[in-house]
Amino acid sequence: MKAIVRVPTKITVFGEHAVVYGKPAIAVTIPRFILVTLTPRNDSKIEVHTHGVSARLSSIVLERDSNNVISQAEPADLQRIVNYIITALNLCEDLLKEEKKHGYNVEVRSELPPSIGLGTSAAVSVGVVAACFALHGEDPLKRRGDVAMTAWRTEYKVQGAASPMDTFTVTFGGLRYIEPKNFNAQEIVYRGDLPLVVGYTPRHGTTAELVAKVRSLRSRAPLILNKIMDLIGEVVEEARRTLEKRDLEELGLLMNVNHGLLSSLGVVNEVHDRIVHVLRRAGALGAKTSGAGGGGAFVALASSSEDSDRLAKLITGLEAVPVATQIWRRGFEVLEY
Ligand code: PMV
C-alpha cells in the first residue's frame, strides 16, 4: 500500500511581500512538478529519500518519537525538507485524530531546486498531507480545503511566517486570486494562452530572511512602507480586472510597476534588474522579480505563445534557467493509491 501524489509548482504573478501584510496576490501553477510517495512501515521510523531536491540522491532515517537521526546522508541538504515532512505528517495525523504515530517511507522527487520562489516547499507540504489523507482513508481531492489549510499550517510552523498563497495555489491549481485574511483562493477565469515566461537565477537569502528584511524596513519608515504595500494591493486589484478583460498590454505594464515597487522594498538584485530590462527590450510586455526576491524566480509576459519560446531561449543566454513558457490549470493529483 502506498500513495503517490503529484503537485505542481507555482509562480507569483503579482503581490508578493504585500500578501504577508494582508493584501491580495495573484499566483498561477506551472507545469513543473514535485512527486511525493508515502508508504507506511511496520515500525515508527521515517525514512526520507529525495531526488533532485539537492544535486545528489539523499536519504535520512529518523525515529519518529524522538526525531533522532538513526542513519544519515547529506543531513544539511535534507534538514529543511525533513522539517516540512515531519510537521506535515504530525499535523495531518492530529487533524484525522490518529492515535498512533505511524512510520513511513517518504520519497520526494523534484524537477526544481528548492528556495527559488517557485513554491517547492509548499508543494512538498501539500504532497505529504494529501498522501497522508489518502493512506488514512480520506479522499484528499474531496477535502482540498483541509489539505491546503494543513499544508499552510506546516509552512507557518516550519518557517515562523507564511502567507497561504503558495499552499492554496498548488492545492487548487490554475490562476488564483488569493485573499490571505480569509484563506480564500478564488479562480480567475482566463481562457486561452497566458504566455508567461518563467525562469530563475541563484538566490541569495531565504524567504524568511527576505521577509524579515522587508519587516525591518517597514519598522524604520512605516508611513511610506505601508503606502507601498497599499499600492501593491491596488496593482493586484487592477491586474485581476485586466486579466478578466484579457488586456495583455496593460497586464505587462502592471508587472513592470510591481517590479518597481519590489525594488523599493529592497528585494530586487542587480542580476534581475538587468534581466527584466533585457526581456522588455526584446519585446516582453512586462517582466518582474517573482517571490521573495534576492534573485530566484522571475516572470515575463510575452505577446504570444510563439514569442514566449523566443524569450525563453534569450533567458539561457542571460545565465538564467528557463522553467516554463505556459501555465498549468490543475492542482495536486493522486496518481496512485
Ligand atoms: O518563498 P517565495 O520566494 O515563493 O516567496 C514567498 C512570497 C512572500 O510573499 C515573500 C512570502 C509569503 O509568505 O507569501
Side-chain angles (χ1 to χ4, degrees):
M1 188 168 71
K2 65 178 169 188
I4 305 179
V5 179
R6 186 175 77 160
V7 193
T9 52
K10 68 106 220 353
I11 185 87
T12 310
V13 196
F14 292 100
E16 50 277 271
H17 284 291
V19 71
V20 176
Y21 299 93
K23 307 294 171 197
I26 295 174
V28 66
T29 38
I30 55 172
R32 301 299 293 265
F33 302 93
I34 299 265
L35 207 62
V36 173
T37 306
L38 197 61
T39 315
R41 292 169 62 110
N42 294 326
D43 55 21
S44 59
K45 292 185 180 63
I46 304 274
E47 183 165 344
V48 177
H49 286 266
T50 64
H51 307 259
V53 172
S54 54
R56 296 158 292 242
L57 171 73
S58 308
S59 68
I60 194 166
V61 184
L62 308 119
E63 186 57 58
R64 179 97 194 243
D65 292 338
S66 62
N67 279 359
N68 276 343
V69 178
I70 296 171
S71 69
Q72 59 189 44
E74 312 295 342
D77 286 352
L78 271 177
Q79 197 50 53
R80 252 177 76 81
I81 195 163
V82 167
N83 282 345
Y84 285 102
I85 292 168
I86 304 272
T87 309
L89 287 170
N90 284 339
L91 290 174
C92 163
E93 290 180 350
D94 285 351
L95 183 76
L96 301 180
K97 303 207 178 359
E98 283 288 327
E99 291 296 327
K100 189 167 155 279
K101 297 285 183 208
H102 307 267
Y104 299 95
N105 289 337
V106 189
E107 191 187 82
V108 177
R109 284 180 184 271
S110 176
E111 296 181 15
L112 295 170
S115 302
I116 48 167
L118 294 174
T120 51
S121 66
V124 170
S125 304
V126 166
V128 171
V129 171
C132 169
F133 268 56
L135 286 182
H136 292 100
E138 297 286 334
D139 184 348
L141 293 167
K142 288 200 183 124
R143 296 190 62 178
R144 278 182 193 268
D146 287 330
V147 170
M149 202 65 190
T150 310
W152 169 72
R153 289 206 174 96
T154 302
E155 292 234 299
Y156 191 86
K157 219 166 162 178
V158 174
Q159 294 167 193
S163 75
M165 173 171 65
D166 287 13
T167 40
F168 277 66
T169 302
V170 303
T171 298
F172 292 98
L175 192 59
R176 296 274 158 185
Y177 171 83
I178 313 290
E179 289 174 290
K181 285 185 185 153
N182 53 8
F183 293 90
N184 202 5
Q186 231 176 307
E187 185 172 12
I188 301 176
V189 179
Y190 185 91
R191 294 188 206 293
D193 287 338
L194 183 58
L196 291 180
V197 182
V198 178
Y200 71 89
T201 62
R203 178 148 123 181
H204 307 284
T206 62
T207 299
E209 283 161 3
L210 290 152
V211 168
K213 183 178 170 184
V214 172
R215 181 163 295 131
S216 129
L217 197 66
R218 184 167 170 263
S219 68
R220 274 160 44 209
L223 207 71
I224 304 298
L225 267 289
N226 284 340
K227 285 199 171 133
I228 296 176
M229 296 306 177
D230 286 346
L231 208 47
I232 294 178
E234 298 279 331
V235 170
V236 173
E237 297 297 354
E238 196 60 35
R240 183 189 189 175
R241 286 189 284 272
T242 307
L243 277 162
E244 281 160 357
K245 282 191 302 188
R246 294 175 48 110
D247 183 339
L248 290 187
E249 297 261 345
E250 190 180 330
L251 198 67
L253 176 98
L254 293 171
M255 284 168 77
N256 291 340
V257 170
N258 198 159
H259 181 81
L261 293 169
L262 286 171
S263 263
S264 70
L265 297 181
V267 297
V268 175
N269 72 3
E270 274 177 57
V271 178
H272 269 212
D273 261 336
R274 193 170 69 86
I275 287 175
V276 297
H277 282 107
V278 171
L279 287 171
R280 286 171 198 165
R281 220 178 312 124
L285 300 176
K288 67 183 275 292
T289 283
S290 173
F298 58 88
V299 57
L301 179 67
S303 50
S304 66
S305 305
E306 297 75 50
D307 209 39
S308 57
D309 291 334
R310 183 180 64 84
L311 292 179
K313 284 201 190 91
L314 195 73
I315 286 175
T316 317
L318 296 170
E319 286 173 45
V321 182
V323 165
T325 52
Q326 52 187 320
I327 64 170
W328 183 253
R329 298 193 184 263
R330 294 199 292 276
F332 75 81
E333 289 161 292
V334 181
L335 299 189
E336 189 180 319
Y337 170 59

